[in-house]
């Protein structure tokens, strides 16, 4: 089967704006979808000219609000617009719309006849914005009235299990003459792995306009090409990934996919978001995912899904790397190694003997950091908002513990040679420091502390910004991500990333 096409969805207010967007992405795309419902009213008068202006195959779409679009003027007005866009077909087919998207319940014989006569293929679409579509194969069959139509099913999954069902129901398809996708963050794998889903195309949108389509979960064409190497993905491509929740942003796909490219390995690494680790395992078993990076909040809960774990996982009590052995999963932990290497570079020391360290947090990541600090000989106090979690982690490694509250400010000062922040607080926040995004908001830095925040998005977190202003040396978690990722890559593939 041919590689699924890359379609750029255009949501500009004017035709000129859309043409400018095409020029920015032309070398990354195969066709475009003109969303007429986003155009200004006067611009809609000239949509017939758009295919010739674009110089690429075009899908004509006028999406109703009920189906996730912006068009509210009624079916009569929409029918007139479709007619205007399809009328006066030119002899050269590349100057006509190559496709037109009609919803399942939109049947206007004259428009359908015009499309067939002019060589315009009909995409017959179903959009479910609030729930999954079940019995996919039967639904596709009901949409395919003739061999000239392309059925399309797009739905908003409620859980990752809905996405799993989509892959399960389509795995035995013999062709890719249908368009299939799950929308939103949960559905991202369907957009990257459309070749395995037997989809005719995948939809993308420009970085400049992804805010408009963000709820749909579009990637931009450059990310699809440069990070995921979409053009090389086929039915036989091995799949790896990262799972967590909400997993708003991660640099791991760029790291691992670069490694696959460097070593000539036919594989792709994708984000697999899920609130429940059990749903992730179910999804991975269905599509044959070979290995996973595991992040917040699943580093501890994943242990129940593993048959075997490394000695390191046993000592830490948390797992960030799992591998599929066919009928069971095994786990390892590379966070401790990654942190140890990164913190030694940051501090310029071979060990942390005689260092007094504040460890902020007591979750899965904190457990790996605590293990590494123990191995490096540090004297540590664990701080957490929940006393029982702080106490349990501290006792596991023979450390002190305290509540993460303003009452512990003096204790932080006693363990302030190095402060290691391991919680998700501050992740994705570019705002000034506050009690909401800075776990040590109550502590006044002296400028002598070294601060290591394992968060790497943003590059400078609120706690880091405040520490730097006081004169402290700071480090984010990017180097830790790299080093633990290098080891993960080796566990996944048997190849050393840095060779």
């Amino acid at each position: 089967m041919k590689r699924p096409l890359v379609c750029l969805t255009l949501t500009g207010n004017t035709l000129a704006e859309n043409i400018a967007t095409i020029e920015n992405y032309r070398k990354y795309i195969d066709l475009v979808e003109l969303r007429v419902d986003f155009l200004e009213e006067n611009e809609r008068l000239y949509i017939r000219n758009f295919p010739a202006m674009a110089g690429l195959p075009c899908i004509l779409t006028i999406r109703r609000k009920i189906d996730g679009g912006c068009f509210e003027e009624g079916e009569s007005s929409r029918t007139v617009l479709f007619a205007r866009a399809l009328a006066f077909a030119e002899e050269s087919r590349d100057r006509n719309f190559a496709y037109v998207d009609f919803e399942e319940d939109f049947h206007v014989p004259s428009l359908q006849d015009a499309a067939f006569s002019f060589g315009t293929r009909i995409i017959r679409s179903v959009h479910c914005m609030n729930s999954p579509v079940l019995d996919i194969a039967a639904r596709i069959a009901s949409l395919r009235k003739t061999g000239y139509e392309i059925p399309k099913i797009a739905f908003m999954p409620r859980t990752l299990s809905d996405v799993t069902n989509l892959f399960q129901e389509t795995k035995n398809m013999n062709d890719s003459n249908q368009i299939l996708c799950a929308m939103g963050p949960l559905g991202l794998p369907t957009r990257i792995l459309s070749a395995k889903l037997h989809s005719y195309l995948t939809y993308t949108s420009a970085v400049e306009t992804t805010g408009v389509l963000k709820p749909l979960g579009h990637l931009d064409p450059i990310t699809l090409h440069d990070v995921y190497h979409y053009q090389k993905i086929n039915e036989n491509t091995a799949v790896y990934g990262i799972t967590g929740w909400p997993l708003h942003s991660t640099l791991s796909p760029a790291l691992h996919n670069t490694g696959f490219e460097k070593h000539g390995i036919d594989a792709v690494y994708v984000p697999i978001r899920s609130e429940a680790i059990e749903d992730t395992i179910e999804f991975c078993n269905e599509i044959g995912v070979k290995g996973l990076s595991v992040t917040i909040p699943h580093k501890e809960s994943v242990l129940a899904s593993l048959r075997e774990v490394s000695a390191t996982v046993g000592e830490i009590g948390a797992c960030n790397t799992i591998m599929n052995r066919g009928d069971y999963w095994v786990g390892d932990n590379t966070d401790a190694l990654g942190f140890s290497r990164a913190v030694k570079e940051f501090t310029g020391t071979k060990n942390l003997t005689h260092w007094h360290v504040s460890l902020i947090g007591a979750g899965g990541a904190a457990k790996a950091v605590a293990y590494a600090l123990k191995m490096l000989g540090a004297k540590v106090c664990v701080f957490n908002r929940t006393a029982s979690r702080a106490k349990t982690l501290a006792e596991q490694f023979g450390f002190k513990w305290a509540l993460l509250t303003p009452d512990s400010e003096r204790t932080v000062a006693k363990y302030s040679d190095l402060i290691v922040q391991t919680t998700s607080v501050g992740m994705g926040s570019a705002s000034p420091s506050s009690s909401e995004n800075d776990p040590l908001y109550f502590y006044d830095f002296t400028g002598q502390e070294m601060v290591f925040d394992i968060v790497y998005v943003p590059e400078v977190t609120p706690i880091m910004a405040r520490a730097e202003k006081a004169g402290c040396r700071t480090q984010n978690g990017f180097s830790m991500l790299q080093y633990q990722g290098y080891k993960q890559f080796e566990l996944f593939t048997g190849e050393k990333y840095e060779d």
Side-chain angles (χ1 to χ4, degrees):
M1 288 185 286
K2 294 181 180 179
R3 169 183 68 78
L5 303 175
V6 177
C7 178
L8 177 64
T9 297
L10 300 169
T11 57
N13 298 131
T14 67
L15 297 180
E17 181 183 342
N18 286 324
I19 293 299
T21 300
I22 290 174
E23 295 310 319
N24 289 337
Y25 295 96
R26 186 177 292 275
K27 70 177 183 177
Y28 301 101
I29 60 178
D30 301 299
L31 71 164
V32 298
E33 178 189 35
L34 178 63
R35 287 289 299 271
V36 176
D37 47 305
F38 280 90
L39 288 173
E40 295 172 357
E41 188 172 353
N42 63 319
E43 289 286 313
R44 294 174 181 177
L45 300 174
Y46 307 102
I47 56 178
R48 178 67 190 82
N49 303 324
F50 191 76
M53 297 166 64
L56 282 170
C58 298
I59 301 174
L60 170 65
T61 300
I62 311 173
R63 186 74 66 227
R64 301 174 298 197
K65 194 165 187 178
I66 193 174
D67 297 309
C70 302
F71 197 83
E72 299 181 277
E73 288 90 323
E75 290 297 77
S76 296
S77 296
R78 201 162 69 111
T79 300
V80 170
L81 272 179
F82 275 126
R84 179 179 292 130
L86 296 174
F88 308 108
E90 299 199 28
E91 185 175 342
S92 177
R93 287 194 174 186
D94 60 5
R95 299 174 71 84
N96 302 322
F97 281 98
Y99 309 85
V100 60
D101 188 316
F102 292 151
E103 294 82 7
E104 180 182 29
D105 61 351
F106 184 81
H107 292 280
V108 179
S110 59
L111 291 180
Q112 293 170 192
D113 291 345
F116 290 141
S117 298
F118 302 155
T120 300
R121 294 195 68 181
I122 295 174
I123 297 172
R124 185 66 68 182
S125 61
V126 170
H127 296 84
C128 290
M129 306 305 295
N130 301 307
S131 62
V133 174
L134 303 177
D135 201 2
I136 303 292
R139 199 68 179 271
I140 288 173
S142 71
L143 291 170
R144 187 176 279 131
K145 303 299 183 184
T146 71
Y148 203 62
E149 292 179 312
I150 303 174
K152 174 187 174 183
I153 294 178
F155 66 84
M156 189 67 71
R158 293 169 297 193
T159 69
L160 185 61
S161 290
D162 295 329
V163 182
T164 304
N165 180 69
L166 177 60
F167 277 94
Q168 185 177 44
E169 290 202 38
T170 58
K171 64 183 176 183
N172 294 322
M173 288 184 172
N174 297 318
D175 60 48
S176 57
N177 194 37
Q178 53 274 320
I179 301 169
L180 301 165
C181 73
M183 296 181 283
L186 289 170
L188 184 60
T190 68
R191 300 187 183 279
I192 300 170
L193 303 176
S194 51
K196 293 180 179 291
L197 198 57
H198 305 286
S199 183
Y200 186 76
L201 58 78
T202 192
Y203 290 95
T204 66
S205 55
V207 171
E208 306 92 300
T209 59
T210 48
V212 175
L213 300 174
K214 188 174 182 180
L216 302 184
H218 282 195
L219 287 171
D220 68 272
I222 296 177
T223 296
L224 196 65
H225 182 278
D226 290 355
V227 174
Y228 295 101
H229 307 135
Y230 177 84
Q231 69 281 7
K232 297 181 180 179
I233 300 173
N234 56 68
E235 288 189 89
N236 298 317
T237 300
V239 181
Y240 297 85
I242 180 169
T243 189
W245 187 264
L247 198 63
H248 288 310
S249 60
T250 173
L251 298 180
S252 293
L255 185 151
H256 285 274
N257 289 324
T258 297
F260 295 144
E261 186 84 354
K262 174 182 175 183
H263 289 274
I265 298 171
D266 182 15
V268 64
Y269 180 105
V270 303
I272 303 169
R273 297 175 170 90
S274 179
E275 288 188 83
I277 189 64
E278 296 81 7
D279 288 353
T280 300
I281 298 296
E282 177 192 29
F283 174 83
C284 292
N285 286 337
E286 174 59 39
I287 72 168
V289 172
K290 293 182 175 296
L292 274 180
S293 306
V294 181
T295 189
I296 297 170
H298 302 320
K299 293 186 179 187
E300 296 165 281
S301 60
V302 73
L303 296 176
S305 299
L306 308 178
R307 181 183 296 184
E308 298 175 7
V309 297
S310 67
T312 305
V313 170
E315 292 188 55
I316 293 172
C319 176
N320 81 319
T321 309
I322 63 175
M323 285 79 68
N324 192 343
R325 295 294 185 247
D327 58 349
Y328 65 95
W329 290 79
V330 301
D332 210 328
N333 193 303
T334 66
D335 275 338
L337 180 150
F339 173 75
S340 182
R341 182 174 172 183
V343 81
K344 284 190 287 186
E345 288 183 358
F346 176 49
T347 59
T349 61
K350 293 182 179 180
N351 59 62
L352 296 176
T353 303
H354 307 305
W355 284 62
H356 289 75
V357 180
S358 287
L359 175 57
I360 311 301
K367 289 183 175 183
V369 170
Y371 174 83
L373 291 171
K374 181 72 173 181
M375 295 299 102
L376 292 171
K379 299 181 186 298
V380 179
C381 185
V382 178
F383 296 86
N384 196 64
R385 291 176 180 174
T386 304
S388 59
R389 290 181 64 86
K391 184 174 184 289
T392 298
L393 179 56
E395 290 179 347
Q396 180 180 350
F397 294 102
F399 297 156
K400 301 292 185 181
W401 68 274
L403 281 171
L404 186 59
T405 65
D407 291 340
S408 297
E409 183 173 9
R410 290 186 178 181
T411 309
V412 174
K414 291 178 182 178
Y415 289 85
S416 60
D417 295 333
L418 173 67
I419 296 173
V420 184
Q421 200 293 112
T422 70
T423 75
S424 60
V425 177
M427 186 180 293
S429 175
S431 304
S433 170
S434 70
S435 60
E436 299 297 320
N437 61 26
D438 181 347
L440 273 185
Y441 69 94
F442 55 83
Y443 179 76
D444 291 326
F445 291 104
T446 66
Q448 301 304 307
E449 302 90 347
M450 299 183 72
V451 179
F452 191 110
D453 191 340
I454 71 168
V455 171
Y456 54 86
V457 179
E459 186 175 344
V460 178
T461 61
I463 188 176
M464 289 173 61
R466 192 165 59 85
E468 288 176 1
K469 188 174 181 180
C472 300
R473 285 183 57 202
T474 67
Q475 172 78 37
N476 68 20
F478 182 71
S479 58
M480 176 183 172
L481 170 76
Q482 282 185 304
Y483 295 143
Q484 66 83 24
Y486 293 164
K487 184 60 179 177
Q488 280 183 337
F489 185 86
E490 184 179 347
L491 291 171
F492 289 156
T493 68
E495 302 281 349
K496 288 189 178 295
Y497 190 98
E498 296 172 286
D499 283 353

